[in-house]
Structures are given as C-alpha cells and as structure tokens.
C-alpha cells in the first residue's frame, strides 16, 4: 500500500508472527535468560545433568548466578511479552547462548558418580552429601528422586539422634563429662510435662556417656537438660558447628535452625527433635566439623571464583572435647548403632545414626 505522500508503506502487527495474541500481549526480541555455564569438577571434568542427574537443579542455579560472571553470552529469542511484562511463549530462537570460561566447582566427578549410584539403593526419598572435613568442599551431592526440589541443600528435616553429636560435644566441653562419666539410661524420662522413652523402651544398667552414645540412648541425653545451663546446646550448634549462620555455598542452602526453647521442647532439642531443623548438607557439615575439630563452611563453588564472604564459627571446639567426640563416633561405627553398615570398614571411621518422629512416623537422616 501507499501512504498519503505516495511512498510505499508496510503495515505490520504482532499477529503476523503470533496470530492469536491476548489483550495486552506484544511480541519482542529479547535475551534468552542467563548465559549457559560449563561447570567442571575439581579436576576439570565437565559436569552435566545427563551424566549426573542429581546435579540438575544445582547446575541451573549455577547458571543463574555465574553465567554472566564467567563471561558467557546469552541467547536471543523472539517471544511473547504478557500484559504485566512477564515472559510468554517463545516463538523463535534467533541465537543460542554461548558458555564463557568453565566454572570450577568442588565436586569430585568420581565420588559424584558413586553417590548417584548408592543413593538409588536407599529408596525413593534419600539424600547424600559428602563434605571434605579439612576444607568444607562439597565433594558429592545426590538424591532420589534426582530431579525437582534440591532437598540435599535446601530440605528441612528433624535430625533425630544424629544431633547427639552436638549434644555430646556440649557435654564434653562443659568439663563435667568424659566418655567414661556415669550417665543413667532408664526406660523413661519425664520433663516439661511429657514422658519420653527409648526405641523399644531400651534401658542400660550402669551406663556411661560412651555407652549411651554408642546405643543412642534418648533418655540419657535428655536427662542432661538438668545439668547443662539454658542455651548451652543451642550455642554449641551455632558457635562451634556453624548451624544457623549465614552460609554462602555458591547456591541456595538451608543452614540449620536450632532455636532456644523451654519445657519439653528443650529436652527434645537434645535428641534432635522438637523445633530443630537441618538439611542433609548441614549434618554432613556437622560430621565434618567433628572430624576436623573446626567448622569449615561448606562450599560447592570455590571462594576464589567471586571472593564472596563465607560464614565463620565464633569459636573452635576444645582439642580434648574433639578427641573424645571422635572416640564416641568411632565406637558407634565399630560396635554401636552404625556397626551393621560401617563395622567392616577399615581406617579412621566414625558415625552417628538417627531417626526422628515426624507426624508419628519414624523419619530422618542417618
């Protein structure tokens, strides 16, 4: 057609590309999100969701956070823009995004492959995280189902008796307990108006702290609520083990919550129930701290990549308490509740098992 001045005019509308736009929609050419990232393990091997399905969500988070930082180039696409400004249907991809420099991670591809394989043997709802005690580096993370919510880093669970690592550390640091200190393990213990019992109503005559830890005696650990000052266990969790601090792993994570409570809830805290919440990452870090004697905040992207601030625990466990705690965990691995799984392993092996009652069901980390 021709305009009033006689020149040719093209009349164009978005419906030429998208025949059925809703009210307020338009068609735009725009960036196709964050640039792609080529994430590599600690030895430079590329990590892909196809090969390591449990890393799918984490790789997406790494792309969103580090795509531009690694100087990648986003793709370009023609898409619908909704009335409120949100992105709608993609009509055509004009250019694929290009990855920039490889993004280093702390993952060990060989350990990751083993974790992916082993976690599937644990059933349809399981997670595993491996943390290097000397550095806090996350060496592997896997879960079932592999896709979906990242419960290994962001899940919130009652830790159950795995939390006794922290309660035992508090007792050992108080100066009132050693592994051989007598600590009764009765069938029942009452506090705050509630009566608690052990699994199968177990009791141990003439018990000491080491025997209680090894057998995971709830009543023994809960009874120390009458010995330790208010807030002692909660402070140990935060100031020594780093739970509840603001972690900066490189991807989103739940960093633990051990709030101060009173009454029956206080006693339940001592065995990892009540209001205590952790992620599998948190408990892997607790075990790593027990091994190293000092908290190293877990990271999955080396701090050198972006010089971000990481959490520092206010204080370090005393050397004597740490040595005793590792002794308790070694006993548990060799002849205690973990022995069916770890009893045949060689080397310096320690463990702490646990379950927690959630809505009347036994559930929790081990």
């Amino acid at each position: 057609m021709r305009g009033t001045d006689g020149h040719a005019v093209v009349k164009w509308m978005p419906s030429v590309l998208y025949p059925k736009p809703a009210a307020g929609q338009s068609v735009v050419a725009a960036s196709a999100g964050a640039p792609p990232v080529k994430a590599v393990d600690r030895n430079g091997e590329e990590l892909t969701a196809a090969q390591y399905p449990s890393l799918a969500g984490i790789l997406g988070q790494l792309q969103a956070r580090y795509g531009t930082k690694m100087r990648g180039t986003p793709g370009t696409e023609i898409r619908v823009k909704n009335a409120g400004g949100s992105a709608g249907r993609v009509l055509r991809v004009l250019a694929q995004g290009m990855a920039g420099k490889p993004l280093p991670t702390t993952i060990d591809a060989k350990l990751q492959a083993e974790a992916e394989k082993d976690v599937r043997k644990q059933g349809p709802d399981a997670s595993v995280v491996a943390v290097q005690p000397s550095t806090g580096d996350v060496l592997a993370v896997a879960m079932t189902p592999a896709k979906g919510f990242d419960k290994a880093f962001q899940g919130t669970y009652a830790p159950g008796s795995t939390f006794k690592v922290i309660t035992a550390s508090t007792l050992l640091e108080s100066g009132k307990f050693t592994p051989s200190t007598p600590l009764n393990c009765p069938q029942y213990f009452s506090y705050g108006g509630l009566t608690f019992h052990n699994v199968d109503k177990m009791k141990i005559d003439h018990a000491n702290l080491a025997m209680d830890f090894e057998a995971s005696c709830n009543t023994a650990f809960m009874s120390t609520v009458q010995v330790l000052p208010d807030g002692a266990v909660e402070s140990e969790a935060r100031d020594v083990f780093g739970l509840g601090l603001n972690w900066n792993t490189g991807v989103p994570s739940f960093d633990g919550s051990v709030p101060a409570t009173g009454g029956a809830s206080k006693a339940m805290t001592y065995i990892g129930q009540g209001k205590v919440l952790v992620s599998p990452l948190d408990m892997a870090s607790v075990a790593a701290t027990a091994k190293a004697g000092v908290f190293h905040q877990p990271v999955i992207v080396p701090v050198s990549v972006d010089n971000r601030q990481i959490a520092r625990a206010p204080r370090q466990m005393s050397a004597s308490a740490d040595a005793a705690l590792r002794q308790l965990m070694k006993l548990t691995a060799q002849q205690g509740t973990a022995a069916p799984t770890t009893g045949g392993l060689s080397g310096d092996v320690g463990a702490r098992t646990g379950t927690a009652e959630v809505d009347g069901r036994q559930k929790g980390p081990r």
Side-chain angles (χ1 to χ4, degrees):
M1 62 178 293
R2 292 186 176 275
T4 55
D5 59 0
H7 290 92
V9 175
V10 175
K11 185 176 182 181
W12 183 87
M13 293 183 295
S15 58
V16 174
L17 290 177
Y18 186 49
K20 298 181 179 180
Q25 285 185 328
S26 58
V27 177
V28 297
S31 169
V37 162
K38 179 184 177 181
V40 297
D41 86 331
R42 61 199 300 111
N43 299 309
E45 181 177 326
E46 185 173 4
L47 301 171
T48 66
Q51 188 167 6
Y52 307 106
S54 292
L55 294 180
I58 287 175
L59 291 173
Q61 293 159 0
L62 292 176
Q63 176 176 337
R65 180 164 181 171
Y66 292 99
T68 301
K69 187 176 293 294
M70 304 313 290
R71 298 181 182 176
T73 303
T76 305
E77 61 192 18
I78 295 175
R79 65 171 180 250
V80 175
K81 181 179 179 181
N82 296 320
S86 62
R89 176 185 172 189
V90 175
L91 304 178
R92 187 177 182 84
V93 175
L94 299 179
Q96 296 287 348
M98 299 291 291
K101 297 185 299 181
L103 173 67
T105 73
T106 60
I107 294 292
D108 183 307
K110 290 183 179 179
L111 289 179
Q112 180 65 33
E114 288 298 318
E116 297 269 5
K117 180 174 63 177
D118 290 345
V119 78
R120 290 194 293 269
K121 299 177 183 178
Q122 305 305 316
D125 185 13
S127 300
V128 60
V129 181
V131 173
Q132 188 174 54
S134 59
T135 63
D137 287 356
V138 175
L139 302 178
V141 50
M143 67 202 85
T144 53
K147 296 181 180 179
F149 177 64
D150 180 8
K151 58 188 174 185
F153 270 45
Q154 299 182 65
T156 56
Y157 305 95
S161 289
T162 58
F163 190 81
K164 287 173 184 168
V165 171
I166 295 175
T167 308
S169 172
T170 311
L171 294 170
L172 294 166
E173 287 210 289
S174 73
K176 300 177 181 179
F177 288 86
T178 68
S180 61
T181 300
L183 182 59
N184 193 30
C185 176
Q187 279 187 315
Y188 302 98
F189 173 72
S190 297
Y191 190 82
L194 293 180
T195 297
F196 305 94
H197 61 81
N198 299 307
V199 175
D200 298 327
K201 298 183 174 59
M202 172 194 71
K203 70 172 183 176
I204 305 174
D205 295 327
H206 312 297
N208 59 29
L209 178 59
M211 296 165 66
D212 294 328
F213 190 91
E214 178 186 329
S216 195
C217 179
N218 289 338
T219 57
F221 276 85
M222 297 178 96
S223 72
T224 63
V225 74
Q226 301 167 326
V227 179
L228 294 174
D230 289 348
V233 171
E234 295 88 342
S235 294
E236 188 85 359
R238 177 182 176 87
D239 296 346
V240 174
F241 289 87
L243 296 183
L245 300 179
N246 184 26
W247 295 9
N248 202 345
T249 66
V251 296
S253 63
F254 176 71
D255 310 326
S257 176
V258 189
T261 59
S265 289
K266 179 181 175 183
M268 293 171 73
T269 291
Y270 283 38
I271 62 168
Q273 297 195 175
K275 297 185 178 181
V276 181
L277 291 174
V278 296
S279 67
L281 171 68
D282 297 333
M283 293 314 297
S285 176
V286 166
T289 300
K291 169 64 176 175
V294 60
F295 170 72
H296 295 286
Q297 187 227 277
V299 296
I300 198 168
V301 175
V303 173
S304 58
V305 171
D306 52 2
N307 296 316
R308 66 190 186 279
Q309 292 294 316
I310 62 172
R312 308 284 182 184
R315 67 180 184 85
Q316 183 174 334
M317 195 187 318
S318 69
S320 60
D322 182 47
L325 181 60
R326 286 187 281 112
Q327 177 188 342
L328 296 180
M329 296 181 73
K330 189 172 183 178
L331 282 171
T332 304
Q334 291 176 337
Q335 60 194 45
T337 55
T341 301
T342 61
L345 299 178
S346 60
D348 185 13
V349 181
R352 174 65 267 161
T353 66
T355 58
E357 287 190 5
V358 180
D359 297 329
R361 296 171 295 165
Q362 291 290 325
K363 188 176 182 180
R366 297 188 59 144

